Amino acid sequence: MPSEATRECEIASCWWTCQMSQTIAPPLTEDQLQKFQSALQTVLEQRYENHWYTIDPERGSAFRSVLNEGRSMDQSLIMAARMANIPNLKGRLTVQCILWVDPGSIKVAYPHSKFPSTIWQRGEGAIGSEQFYWRPQSTSPNFLKNKTTTSKEGSSSPSNSNVLAIETAV
């Protein structure tokens, strides 16, 4: 049975996968990237179990943050990279930020920004609706483009005009 946090963890893991640099030799294969995304989603779902409060989404927000700042890298990222056999994670994942994965929204903050930016939000209207403020770039692996598009009625896709292309390292 999927956890309550499944969709949020899927979007967050796709976002982190898109931050992975392909300029480091040897380049990562699509299979490695897919394994990383899947492993990270699983690790986050397990981590957030019993720490997911849909009635009070900000409760536990610090616990659900995923951090990559210089010498400090979140253990969830490290574990997923090991599971996917990805070498040199620190060299490949150079974006410095903190990502908050909360019920109904995902936000990212960079050291140079005053306020976090929303990258995904569950819609308030129709059941299953969601709004993307980020999308994988054209150079991102194809499997990610499919995961960040939904066919549910009333939902938005990354091609929506409200989507902002947040910088990616891929």
Side-chain angles (χ1 to χ4, degrees), residues 81-95:
R82 282 189 191 133
M83 293 165 75
N85 295 317
I86 293 179
N88 190 13
L89 182 63
K90 286 191 180 196
R92 292 179 189 282
L93 201 53
T94 59
V95 63

Side-chain angles (χ1 to χ4, degrees), residues 5-170:
T6 297
R7 184 63 174 155
E8 286 87 342
C9 293
E10 179 181 39
I11 299 298
S13 62
C14 286
W15 187 86
W16 280 109
T17 302
C18 282
Q19 306 313 304
M20 199 78 68
S21 174
Q22 288 289 59
T23 60
I24 306 291
L28 299 174
T29 65
E30 178 113 359
D31 185 56
Q32 284 177 298
L33 291 169
Q34 196 163 10
K35 283 180 182 173
F36 175 79
Q37 183 275 318
S38 179
L40 183 57
Q41 179 177 342
T42 300
V43 167
L44 293 177
E45 286 176 11
Q46 291 171 352
R47 176 176 160 184
Y48 300 161
E49 191 173 328
N50 299 318
H51 295 278
W52 198 256
Y53 310 100
T54 54
I55 294 173
D56 187 7
E58 291 188 17
R59 180 180 172 199
S61 187
F63 179 80
R64 292 186 306 270
S65 64
V66 182
L67 176 73
N68 186 32
E69 289 185 328
R71 290 179 280 188
S72 181
M73 182 176 282
D74 196 283
Q75 286 299 308
S76 299
L77 298 170
I78 294 168
M79 286 173 54
R82 282 189 191 133
M83 293 165 75
N85 295 317
I86 293 179
N88 190 13
L89 182 63
K90 286 191 180 196
R92 292 179 189 282
L93 201 53
T94 59
V95 63
Q96 293 190 27
C97 66
I98 185 167
L99 188 78
W100 287 278
V101 183
D102 294 324
S105 81
I106 301 171
K107 296 179 181 178
V108 63
Y110 300 97
H112 61 275
S113 60
K114 274 186 157 179
F115 303 102
S117 300
T118 300
I119 64 169
W120 176 86
Q121 189 169 335
R122 189 176 310 281
E124 305 229 353
I127 294 175
S129 69
E130 52 189 7
Q131 183 68 45
F132 287 85
Y133 299 91
W134 157 83
R135 67 171 168 238
Q137 301 299 302
S138 59
T139 56
S140 298
N142 288 325
F143 78 91
L144 289 175
K145 295 172 193 162
N146 296 334
K147 287 183 178 280
T148 56
T149 304
T150 177
S151 60
K152 292 180 183 173
E153 197 173 313
S155 59
S156 302
S157 73
S159 60
N160 185 299
S161 61
N162 293 331
V163 173
L164 300 176
I166 292 179
E167 296 174 34
T168 62
V170 177

